[in-house]
Amino acid sequence: MVTISLCMIVKNEEAILSRCLKSVTSAVDEIIIVDTGSSDNTKAIAAEFTDKIYNFEWIDDFSAARNFAYSKATMDYQMWLDADDVLPPESCKKLLELKGNLPPTVDIVTMKYNTHFDEYGVPVFTSTRERLTRRERGYRWQDPVHECIPLVGNIVHTDIVIHHRKPQNSIQKPSNRNLEIYNNLERRTKILTPRQQYYFARELKDHKNWHKSAYYFEKFLNSGKGWIEDNISACFNLAICYNSLGDNDKALSTLRESFAFDSPRAEICSEIGYHYKRDHNFQVALRWFKIAASLDLPDSKGFILPDYYGYIPNIEACVCCCELGEFKIAETYNERAAIYKPNSPAVKNNRVILARLNIIDSDEVDSDSSGNTMV
C-alpha cells in the first residue's frame, strides 16, 4: 500500500480547518500544515491533528508556499487540499481503496473537484485537478496564483470527488487577492504566459472589468498555445464580456469560433440561443436550445457547467415554445428540465402558467407555487 503526505497551506482558517482534516485524516499517513501568517487559532487547531506545522512568510506566491509544503513531505505521494475543501465519506473510502491498488509507478492521480453548488447542494461548476503526485518525481508547482503542476508522466484519472465548501454565512463575492497578484505580476514581468493571460482574464471578468478581460482573453486565444478546453472556455467567457460591452454580434461570432476547437458544448449552444432569444427570434433560439439539450456531458478534464447539460436548455426551450404558442411542447421541455432540478422555482412557476392555459392538470401543481411569467 502506498503512503500519502497531505500538504496544506493555511491562513486564518479556524472556522473550517478541523472540518477539512477530519474528513481526510483516516486516508493519509502524514499531515503537513504550512501557515502563511495566521492571527487566529488556526495553528492550535492544526496541532490537534499533526505536529508537523511550519511557518512560511507570504510573498504573494501560492506556488512558493505549496512547494515549501511539498518539501516537508516524507511519504510516497503528496496530496493537497485547501482548508475549505472536504473529502466526502464515499470519496474517503475510494481513496483508501486507491492506496491499496495504486501501482507505485503512477506519477499523478487526478480527482474531480466540485467548487460551486446550487441551493440544493447540486454541483454547478466542476473541474478535474491533479491531486496526488509521486514525491520522488520532484514535481514543482507553477504560477503565483491559480497554480498548477504540469500533467506530465504516468497519469491516472479517478472519479474520486472533492468538495470545495466555503464557510457557512461567508460573503460570496470575488476576492481582490488574486487580482492584485496578477496586477503586480503584469507590472513586474510585462509579458504574461498564455496560461496567466487566461486566468487573469477570468479574474478580471469576475470583477466586471469587461474591457481588460476581453483584451486578455483575445491575447490568450490569439497565442495559439492554449489547451483545447481552455480555448473553448475562453470563447464562452469572452462572449460574456462582449455582451456586457454591448457588442452582441462580436459575442455571437466568438461563440461560433469555439466550434473550431472541438465538438459543440451545451453552454456555447445555449449562449447562442440566448443571443437569438434577446432579439425575440424565438424560432432560431429554440433550435439552439434543442441542440444544447441533446448534448451529453463531455468527458472533459476542464471546467464543466453541469446545469447547461439538461436543465438550462430545456427550461429555455420551454420559454421559447410558449412564445411561439406551442404550449404542449413547452410542457414537455419543462418536465425534462424537472428531471434535473425537480425543486426548481422556474419549473414550478412554468407549471402554474401552463396549468392556467389548460395544458396540464392543475392538480399536479404545487399549492405554494405562484407567478405569472415564464422563466
Side-chain angles (χ1 to χ4, degrees), residues 143-305:
D143 282 340
V145 65
H146 290 297
E147 65 281 10
C148 71
I149 290 177
L151 293 178
V152 177
N154 184 11
I155 302 169
V156 169
H157 300 292
T158 72
D159 63 353
I160 299 174
V161 176
I162 292 172
H163 292 172
H164 186 72
R165 294 283 193 179
K166 293 291 185 182
Q168 289 186 345
N169 302 321
S170 65
I171 299 175
Q172 299 295 309
K173 63 179 182 179
S175 166
N176 289 327
R177 180 198 60 197
N178 292 351
L179 187 60
E180 290 173 358
I181 292 174
Y182 275 123
N183 283 331
N184 290 335
L185 182 66
E186 180 187 41
R187 285 191 291 267
R188 188 169 65 248
T189 65
K190 305 301 181 184
I191 299 176
L192 303 182
T193 68
R195 186 177 186 277
Q196 290 167 349
Q197 293 167 0
Y198 170 72
Y199 280 99
F200 190 17
R202 290 180 68 96
E203 291 290 339
L204 291 162
K205 171 182 164 289
D206 288 344
H207 286 79
K208 303 186 186 306
N209 188 337
W210 308 118
H211 282 286
K212 193 169 182 178
S213 177
Y215 169 78
Y216 271 110
F217 275 130
E218 288 169 353
K219 282 185 69 70
F220 167 75
L221 288 167
N222 290 336
S223 75
K225 296 180 179 179
W227 178 40
I228 287 176
E229 300 299 334
D230 287 346
N231 290 338
I232 296 171
S233 174
C235 289
F236 176 79
N237 286 288
L238 178 55
I240 292 174
C241 292
Y242 285 143
N243 279 328
S244 300
L245 292 169
D247 195 339
N248 297 332
D249 289 340
K250 203 165 185 179
L252 180 61
S253 66
T254 299
L255 292 166
R256 287 172 169 165
E257 286 172 12
S258 73
F259 299 145
F261 297 111
D262 201 4
S263 56
R265 302 297 167 83
E267 61 268 32
I268 297 289
C269 295
S270 292
E271 287 300 317
I272 295 176
Y274 282 127
H275 173 87
Y276 290 104
K277 182 186 173 189
R278 285 190 292 268
D279 285 345
H280 294 89
N281 190 341
F282 298 107
Q283 193 69 57
V284 176
L286 177 60
R287 292 176 195 156
W288 283 101
F289 288 126
K290 287 170 68 175
I291 292 172
S294 72
L295 297 175
D296 294 328
L297 198 68
D299 182 18
S300 167
K301 303 301 182 289
F303 296 127
I304 296 178
L305 302 166

Side-chain angles (χ1 to χ4, degrees), residues 307-368:
D307 276 0
Y308 282 96
Y309 293 86
Y311 173 71
I312 288 175
N314 278 298
I315 206 76
E316 292 297 342
C318 169
V319 174
C320 290
C321 285
C322 282
E323 294 288 351
L324 294 167
E326 299 173 353
F327 302 115
K328 197 67 179 176
I329 300 176
E331 175 198 349
T332 299
Y333 282 116
N334 195 55
E335 294 311 309
R336 288 179 184 172
I339 294 173
Y340 299 93
K341 287 185 180 291
N343 296 315
S344 162
V347 166
K348 293 180 178 181
N349 186 66
N350 290 347
R351 284 174 177 160
V352 172
I353 302 301
L354 291 167
R356 289 173 181 167
L357 294 168
N358 297 317
I359 301 303
I360 62 176
D361 185 351
S362 61
D363 290 339
E364 298 178 9
V365 179
D366 293 341
S367 60
D368 63 344

Side-chain angles (χ1 to χ4, degrees), residues 29-41:
D29 305 279
E30 178 180 55
I31 297 176
I32 309 291
I33 300 292
V34 170
D35 190 279
T36 62
S38 293
S39 57
D40 63 3
N41 292 321

